[in-house]
Amino acid sequence: KDSPLTMAEDRITNSFLSTVLKADVTQFSVETLNEGLSMGNRVKILHVSTAESETEQIFVLKIVGPDSVQLSHTLGLAREALFYNHFAPSLPSQDVPKVIFAEGDLETGNEIIIMEEISNAVQTGYFFGPGNPMNWGKDIESRLARAGCGSVAPESVVESAFHLAARLHSRFWNDARVLCHPWLH
């Protein structure tokens, strides 16, 4: 199948971003955000300058690179983009980040997500300690300290994460419309 996402990384251009952001993008740069395991996604920071504003806009860009497409396909990671398109709009805005663009293709494994950058947020997984595979090789203590979270009890973070997960799932509990999405089965 010739998917529009076949070369997802090549799609990030001034023209593409101008269309997505509804602004005249004059330049952009991409900065790698995560190291180590990324479950098929490359999480990056997208810096955008537009003709309409002197202030640089910052977004999170989640994109599958050519070396991760097969893993993404195998794990069905493009469902994240489908979630943002189909379900996130009906959730309270404080529970999910604002997504500007999301496109995923389960047949190829490709996905592109552009979302708001939440500068005061910390990955919940950091609180799971150095034994968590996503934390291997990272200085978690210094990352938490830099974010002002050094004294936060991991148990309270996990409890909050589970409460949020329960709230998100309860929104669609016994909702027959969920059955219309085969990518959830």
Side-chain angles (χ1 to χ4, degrees):
K1 178 182 173 190
D2 186 23
S3 166
L5 290 175
T6 299
M7 300 303 280
E9 288 184 322
D10 294 341
R11 285 190 59 197
I12 307 300
T13 63
N14 283 356
S15 175
F16 172 78
L17 292 172
S18 292
T19 300
V20 167
L21 300 174
K22 299 175 179 65
D24 181 14
V25 173
T26 56
Q27 68 180 42
F28 71 93
S29 63
V30 178
E31 167 190 353
T32 300
L33 180 63
N34 68 321
E35 308 98 4
L37 295 174
S38 63
M39 295 302 290
N41 288 310
R42 291 185 175 163
V43 181
K44 301 178 180 225
I45 296 293
L46 176 64
H47 301 268
V48 177
S49 298
T50 65
E52 295 84 3
S53 174
E54 292 183 23
T55 306
E56 177 183 77
Q57 296 178 342
I58 301 174
F59 303 94
V60 170
L61 170 66
K62 296 183 85 176
I63 191 164
V64 176
D67 55 335
S68 301
V69 172
Q70 185 58 49
L71 176 62
S72 177
H73 174 263
T74 300
L75 298 176
L77 297 181
R79 288 181 295 213
E80 179 182 10
L82 301 175
F83 164 81
Y84 283 120
N85 286 329
H86 295 280
F87 295 106
S90 64
L91 295 169
S93 61
Q94 74 270 12
D95 289 345
V96 291
K98 178 181 177 190
V99 172
I100 291 82
F101 180 83
E103 192 171 284
D105 185 332
L106 289 170
E107 289 186 36
T108 65
N110 282 301
E111 102 178 322
I112 299 173
I113 299 172
I114 300 173
M115 63 176 57
E116 72 177 319
E117 191 271 338
I118 306 172
S119 58
N120 62 346
V122 175
Q123 295 179 33
T124 304
Y126 285 171
F127 293 91
F128 298 155
N132 181 325
M134 298 300 282
N135 294 338
W136 291 349
K138 297 177 184 173
D139 184 357
I140 300 304
E141 288 182 23
S142 68
R143 288 176 184 228
L144 292 173
R146 279 196 312 268
C149 300
S151 62
V152 175
E155 296 81 10
S156 68
V157 173
V158 172
E159 183 178 339
S160 293
F162 276 94
H163 282 287
L164 174 60
R167 190 166 58 247
L168 294 176
H169 283 88
S170 71
R171 172 68 181 84
F172 303 102
W173 189 256
N174 286 328
D175 186 340
R177 293 174 295 175
V178 172
L179 300 174
C180 298
H181 302 286
W183 51 273
L184 289 175
H185 310 174

